[in-house]
Amino acid sequence: MRSYEVPPRFGLIDESPDRWPKLLSYIRQLNETAERGCSYKLVVLGRHGQGFHNVAGLKYGTQAWDDYWAKLNGDGEIVWGPDPELTTLGMEQARDVNSLWKQEISEGALPLPDKAYCSPLTRALSTHMITFDGLMKDGMEPPLILENCREENGVHTCDKRKTRSYLSERFVGYDIEPGFLEEDELWDPNVRETEQHVVERARVVLNTIFDHPEHTFVSVTAHSGFINGFLSAVGRGFYELPTGGDISHLKTRSHLIV
Protein backbone atom coordinates (compact mmCIF):
# COMPACT_ATOMS: atom_id res chain seq x y z
CA MET A 1 0.00 0.00 0.00
CA ARG A 2 1.27 3.47 -0.87
CA SER A 3 1.51 5.92 2.01
CA TYR A 4 1.86 8.99 -0.20
CA GLU A 5 0.74 10.17 -3.61
CA VAL A 6 2.54 12.89 -5.54
CA PRO A 7 0.07 15.78 -5.98
CA PRO A 8 -1.30 16.36 -9.50
CA ARG A 9 0.88 18.66 -11.62
CA PHE A 10 3.52 18.51 -8.83
CA GLY A 11 1.24 20.86 -6.89
CA LEU A 12 0.91 23.52 -9.60
CA ILE A 13 -2.53 25.18 -9.29
CA ASP A 14 -2.88 26.04 -12.99
CA GLU A 15 -4.71 23.23 -14.82
CA SER A 16 -4.52 24.73 -18.33
CA PRO A 17 -2.89 22.66 -21.10
CA ASP A 18 -0.03 25.14 -21.44
CA ARG A 19 0.54 25.56 -17.70
CA TRP A 20 4.29 24.91 -17.68
CA PRO A 21 5.18 27.07 -20.71
CA LYS A 22 3.17 29.88 -19.09
CA LEU A 23 5.10 29.54 -15.85
CA LEU A 24 8.49 29.42 -17.56
CA SER A 25 7.52 32.39 -19.74
CA TYR A 26 6.70 34.29 -16.57
CA ILE A 27 10.13 33.41 -15.16
CA ARG A 28 11.81 34.65 -18.34
CA GLN A 29 9.90 37.93 -18.02
CA LEU A 30 11.06 38.26 -14.42
CA ASN A 31 14.66 37.74 -15.48
CA GLU A 32 14.37 40.23 -18.32
CA THR A 33 13.16 42.95 -15.95
CA ALA A 34 15.18 41.94 -12.87
CA GLU A 35 17.57 44.29 -11.16
CA ARG A 36 21.26 43.71 -11.66
CA GLY A 37 22.47 40.78 -9.57
CA CYS A 38 19.00 39.26 -9.25
CA SER A 39 17.80 36.20 -11.17
CA TYR A 40 14.91 33.74 -10.97
CA LYS A 41 14.75 29.97 -11.38
CA LEU A 42 12.21 27.20 -11.04
CA VAL A 43 13.65 24.50 -8.76
CA VAL A 44 12.06 21.07 -8.29
CA LEU A 45 13.13 19.38 -5.07
CA GLY A 46 12.69 15.61 -4.95
CA ARG A 47 13.21 13.35 -1.95
CA HIS A 48 14.47 9.81 -2.47
CA GLY A 49 12.09 6.87 -2.28
CA GLN A 50 11.87 4.65 0.76
CA GLY A 51 15.22 3.15 1.77
CA PHE A 52 15.93 0.28 4.13
CA HIS A 53 16.93 2.76 6.83
CA ASN A 54 13.42 4.22 6.65
CA VAL A 55 11.98 0.76 7.27
CA ALA A 56 14.30 0.26 10.23
CA GLY A 57 13.41 3.66 11.65
CA LEU A 58 9.72 2.73 11.57
CA LYS A 59 10.49 -0.65 13.09
CA TYR A 60 12.27 0.74 16.15
CA GLY A 61 10.79 4.21 16.51
CA THR A 62 12.59 7.54 16.39
CA GLN A 63 14.05 7.52 19.91
CA ALA A 64 15.53 4.01 19.78
CA TRP A 65 16.69 4.58 16.20
CA ASP A 66 18.58 7.75 17.05
CA ASP A 67 19.95 6.44 20.35
CA TYR A 68 21.13 3.02 19.21
CA TRP A 69 20.12 1.35 15.97
CA ALA A 70 21.13 4.13 13.54
CA LYS A 71 24.74 3.71 14.71
CA LEU A 72 24.80 0.11 13.49
CA ASN A 73 24.80 -1.30 9.95
CA GLY A 74 21.82 -3.60 10.50
CA ASP A 75 19.93 -5.84 12.90
CA GLY A 76 20.33 -9.26 11.30
CA GLU A 77 17.15 -8.81 9.26
CA ILE A 78 17.56 -5.38 7.65
CA VAL A 79 20.81 -3.89 6.32
CA TRP A 80 20.78 -0.09 6.32
CA GLY A 81 24.40 0.91 6.54
CA PRO A 82 26.45 2.21 5.04
CA ASP A 83 24.52 3.95 2.26
CA PRO A 84 21.40 1.75 1.96
CA GLU A 85 19.51 0.81 -1.18
CA LEU A 86 15.90 1.60 -2.05
CA THR A 87 13.27 -0.88 -0.97
CA THR A 88 10.78 -2.30 -3.47
CA LEU A 89 8.32 0.35 -2.30
CA GLY A 90 10.99 3.03 -2.73
CA MET A 91 11.49 2.00 -6.35
CA GLU A 92 7.71 2.03 -6.90
CA GLN A 93 7.53 5.54 -5.44
CA ALA A 94 10.19 6.71 -7.90
CA ARG A 95 8.30 5.08 -10.77
CA ASP A 96 5.16 6.96 -9.68
CA VAL A 97 7.06 10.23 -10.04
CA ASN A 98 8.39 9.07 -13.41
CA SER A 99 4.80 8.50 -14.54
CA LEU A 100 3.81 11.97 -13.42
CA TRP A 101 6.72 13.53 -15.32
CA LYS A 102 5.58 11.71 -18.46
CA GLN A 103 1.98 12.82 -17.88
CA GLU A 104 2.95 16.46 -17.36
CA ILE A 105 5.21 16.40 -20.41
CA SER A 106 2.34 15.13 -22.57
CA GLU A 107 -0.55 17.08 -21.01
CA GLY A 108 1.04 20.27 -19.70
CA ALA A 109 4.05 20.67 -22.02
CA LEU A 110 6.44 20.36 -19.08
CA PRO A 111 10.05 20.49 -20.31
CA LEU A 112 12.83 18.53 -18.71
CA PRO A 113 15.08 20.45 -16.33
CA ASP A 114 17.98 22.34 -17.87
CA LYS A 115 20.20 20.86 -15.17
CA ALA A 116 19.86 18.14 -12.51
CA TYR A 117 21.81 17.94 -9.26
CA CYS A 118 21.95 14.85 -7.04
CA SER A 119 23.05 13.76 -3.64
CA PRO A 120 25.96 11.28 -3.66
CA LEU A 121 24.00 8.76 -1.58
CA THR A 122 22.79 5.65 -3.40
CA ARG A 123 19.11 5.99 -2.49
CA ALA A 124 18.93 9.47 -4.01
CA LEU A 125 20.88 8.57 -7.15
CA SER A 126 18.77 5.45 -7.69
CA THR A 127 15.62 7.54 -7.25
CA HIS A 128 16.85 10.04 -9.83
CA MET A 129 17.66 7.28 -12.33
CA ILE A 130 14.17 5.78 -12.01
CA THR A 131 12.44 9.15 -11.96
CA PHE A 132 13.95 10.20 -15.29
CA ASP A 133 14.12 6.76 -16.89
CA GLY A 134 13.18 7.01 -20.56
CA LEU A 135 13.10 10.81 -20.46
CA MET A 136 16.73 11.88 -20.81
CA LYS A 137 17.78 12.69 -24.37
CA ASP A 138 21.07 12.89 -26.21
CA GLY A 139 22.67 16.30 -25.95
CA MET A 140 21.25 17.06 -22.51
CA GLU A 141 23.65 18.06 -19.76
CA PRO A 142 24.42 15.07 -17.51
CA PRO A 143 23.23 15.18 -13.90
CA LEU A 144 25.87 16.43 -11.47
CA ILE A 145 26.60 14.69 -8.17
CA LEU A 146 27.28 17.23 -5.43
CA GLU A 147 28.72 16.30 -2.04
CA ASN A 148 26.79 19.15 -0.44
CA CYS A 149 23.42 17.67 -1.49
CA ARG A 150 23.82 14.77 0.94
CA GLU A 151 21.66 14.15 3.99
CA GLU A 152 22.37 15.49 7.48
CA ASN A 153 25.68 13.79 8.13
CA GLY A 154 27.45 11.83 10.83
CA VAL A 155 26.72 9.05 13.40
CA HIS A 156 23.96 7.37 11.37
CA THR A 157 25.60 4.75 9.16
CA CYS A 158 22.89 5.19 6.52
CA ASP A 159 24.37 8.63 5.78
CA LYS A 160 27.89 7.43 5.05
CA ARG A 161 28.35 7.36 1.27
CA LYS A 162 30.13 4.80 -0.87
CA THR A 163 33.37 5.50 -2.72
CA ARG A 164 33.78 7.74 -5.74
CA SER A 165 34.86 4.68 -7.76
CA TYR A 166 31.64 2.88 -6.84
CA LEU A 167 29.49 5.85 -7.82
CA SER A 168 31.23 6.34 -11.17
CA GLU A 169 30.90 2.64 -12.03
CA ARG A 170 27.28 2.24 -10.97
CA PHE A 171 25.84 5.56 -12.10
CA VAL A 172 27.24 5.80 -15.59
CA GLY A 173 26.36 9.05 -17.34
CA TYR A 174 26.46 11.12 -14.17
CA ASP A 175 29.13 13.75 -13.67
CA ILE A 176 30.86 14.09 -10.30
CA GLU A 177 31.90 17.54 -9.12
CA PRO A 178 35.61 18.42 -9.06
CA GLY A 179 37.37 17.72 -5.76
CA PHE A 180 35.05 14.84 -4.83
CA LEU A 181 37.15 12.47 -2.69
CA GLU A 182 37.42 8.71 -3.15
CA GLU A 183 36.45 7.92 0.46
CA ASP A 184 33.79 9.64 2.54
CA GLU A 185 36.00 11.70 4.83
CA LEU A 186 33.12 13.95 5.94
CA TRP A 187 31.15 11.29 7.81
CA ASP A 188 32.01 11.21 11.52
CA PRO A 189 30.88 8.24 13.66
CA ASN A 190 30.73 10.40 16.78
CA VAL A 191 29.41 13.80 15.67
CA ARG A 192 26.04 14.48 14.06
CA GLU A 193 25.86 17.51 11.78
CA THR A 194 23.71 20.39 13.01
CA GLU A 195 20.68 21.68 11.13
CA GLN A 196 22.36 25.06 10.75
CA HIS A 197 25.33 23.46 9.02
CA VAL A 198 22.96 21.76 6.60
CA VAL A 199 21.50 25.20 5.83
CA GLU A 200 25.01 26.46 5.13
CA ARG A 201 25.63 23.55 2.75
CA ALA A 202 22.34 24.31 1.02
CA ARG A 203 23.48 27.90 0.46
CA VAL A 204 26.59 26.56 -1.27
CA VAL A 205 24.36 24.47 -3.54
CA LEU A 206 22.20 27.52 -4.25
CA ASN A 207 25.30 29.45 -5.25
CA THR A 208 26.26 26.62 -7.58
CA ILE A 209 22.80 26.71 -9.15
CA PHE A 210 22.78 30.49 -9.60
CA ASP A 211 26.30 30.53 -10.99
CA HIS A 212 24.73 29.17 -14.20
CA PRO A 213 22.32 31.76 -15.62
CA GLU A 214 21.70 29.51 -18.63
CA HIS A 215 19.80 27.08 -16.38
CA THR A 216 16.30 28.39 -15.66
CA PHE A 217 14.65 25.09 -14.67
CA VAL A 218 16.61 22.96 -12.20
CA SER A 219 15.97 19.73 -10.30
CA VAL A 220 17.61 18.60 -7.07
CA THR A 221 17.21 15.01 -5.85
CA ALA A 222 18.19 14.69 -2.22
CA HIS A 223 16.88 14.03 1.29
CA SER A 224 14.43 15.38 3.85
CA GLY A 225 17.09 17.05 6.00
CA PHE A 226 18.83 18.67 3.05
CA ILE A 227 15.57 19.79 1.42
CA ASN A 228 14.50 21.53 4.62
CA GLY A 229 17.95 23.11 4.85
CA PHE A 230 17.45 24.34 1.29
CA LEU A 231 14.01 25.73 2.12
CA SER A 232 15.37 27.43 5.23
CA ALA A 233 18.16 29.00 3.17
CA VAL A 234 15.55 30.72 0.97
CA GLY A 235 13.31 31.79 3.84
CA ARG A 236 10.82 28.94 3.78
CA GLY A 237 9.62 27.06 6.87
CA PHE A 238 9.84 23.33 7.59
CA TYR A 239 8.07 21.03 5.11
CA GLU A 240 7.38 17.35 5.84
CA LEU A 241 8.10 15.81 2.42
CA PRO A 242 7.45 12.05 2.40
CA THR A 243 9.78 9.60 0.70
CA GLY A 244 9.34 9.83 -3.05
CA GLY A 245 7.82 13.30 -2.80
CA ASP A 246 8.43 16.36 -4.97
CA ILE A 247 7.83 20.05 -4.44
CA SER A 248 8.54 22.86 -6.84
CA HIS A 249 9.13 26.52 -6.20
CA LEU A 250 10.32 29.61 -7.97
CA LYS A 251 13.43 30.93 -6.29
CA THR A 252 15.75 33.89 -6.44
CA ARG A 253 18.99 34.39 -4.59
CA SER A 254 17.20 36.24 -1.83
CA HIS A 255 13.63 35.03 -1.53
CA LEU A 256 11.03 32.40 -2.33
CA ILE A 257 7.94 32.90 -4.46
CA VAL A 258 5.28 30.23 -3.95
Side-chain angles (χ1 to χ4, degrees), residues 31-208:
N31 281 320
E32 289 170 359
T33 58
E35 297 178 1
R36 184 175 181 180
C38 179
S39 60
Y40 296 79
K41 296 181 187 292
L42 176 65
V43 182
V44 175
L45 300 170
R47 184 184 178 190
H48 63 80
Q50 184 193 68
F52 282 99
H53 64 304
N54 298 124
V55 176
L58 291 172
K59 179 179 179 180
Y60 292 108
T62 301
Q63 191 67 49
W65 172 254
D66 287 339
D67 290 347
Y68 179 76
W69 291 104
K71 302 172 185 178
L72 307 179
N73 287 329
D75 62 359
E77 295 181 356
I78 307 171
V79 177
W80 58 74
D83 198 6
E85 300 282 345
L86 293 177
T87 64
T88 299
L89 175 59
M91 290 185 279
E92 291 175 354
Q93 290 170 331
R95 283 192 283 270
D96 286 345
V97 180
N98 174 267
S99 295
L100 184 55
W101 271 98
K102 291 177 179 176
Q103 179 179 330
E104 287 302 293
I105 288 170
S106 63
E107 293 183 4
L110 173 64
L112 290 172
D114 303 314
K115 186 67 179 181
Y117 298 94
C118 291
S119 158
L121 295 174
T122 298
R123 56 191 182 270
L125 285 162
S126 296
T127 296
H128 184 271
M129 286 190 71
I130 297 171
T131 296
F132 291 98
D133 181 43
L135 297 175
M136 304 302 290
K137 301 176 182 178
D138 292 341
M140 293 184 63
E141 287 197 29
L144 181 63
I145 300 173
L146 294 178
E147 190 81 90
N148 277 320
C149 282
R150 64 192 297 160
E151 180 59 296
E152 185 177 325
N153 200 11
V155 181
H156 295 191
T157 61
C158 58
D159 298 324
K160 182 179 182 180
R161 70 163 170 83
K162 293 185 171 68
T163 64
R164 179 189 177 111
S165 297
Y166 170 87
L167 296 177
S168 62
E169 291 172 5
R170 175 163 175 180
F171 299 101
V172 177
Y174 285 66
D175 284 346
I176 301 177
E177 67 176 324
F180 193 95
L181 300 177
E182 173 66 13
E183 301 290 340
D184 186 357
E185 298 183 13
L186 297 177
W187 186 83
D188 189 317
N190 301 308
V191 179
R192 186 71 173 164
E193 186 180 23
T194 66
E195 292 181 0
Q196 183 55 42
H197 191 263
V198 178
V199 174
E200 293 169 5
R201 284 201 282 112
R203 290 195 178 105
V204 174
V205 173
L206 276 162
N207 285 334
T208 299

Side-chain angles (χ1 to χ4, degrees), residues 6-12 20 44 97 100-101 104 110 246-248:
V6 183
R9 303 174 302 282
F10 295 115
L12 189 67
W20 295 105
V44 175
V97 180
L100 184 55
W101 271 98
E104 287 302 293
L110 173 64
D246 278 89
I247 53 178
S248 57

Side-chain angles (χ1 to χ4, degrees), residues 23-39:
L23 176 57
L24 290 168
S25 175
Y26 172 63
I27 296 173
R28 285 193 294 271
Q29 292 175 19
L30 289 174
N31 281 320
E32 289 170 359
T33 58
E35 297 178 1
R36 184 175 181 180
C38 179
S39 60

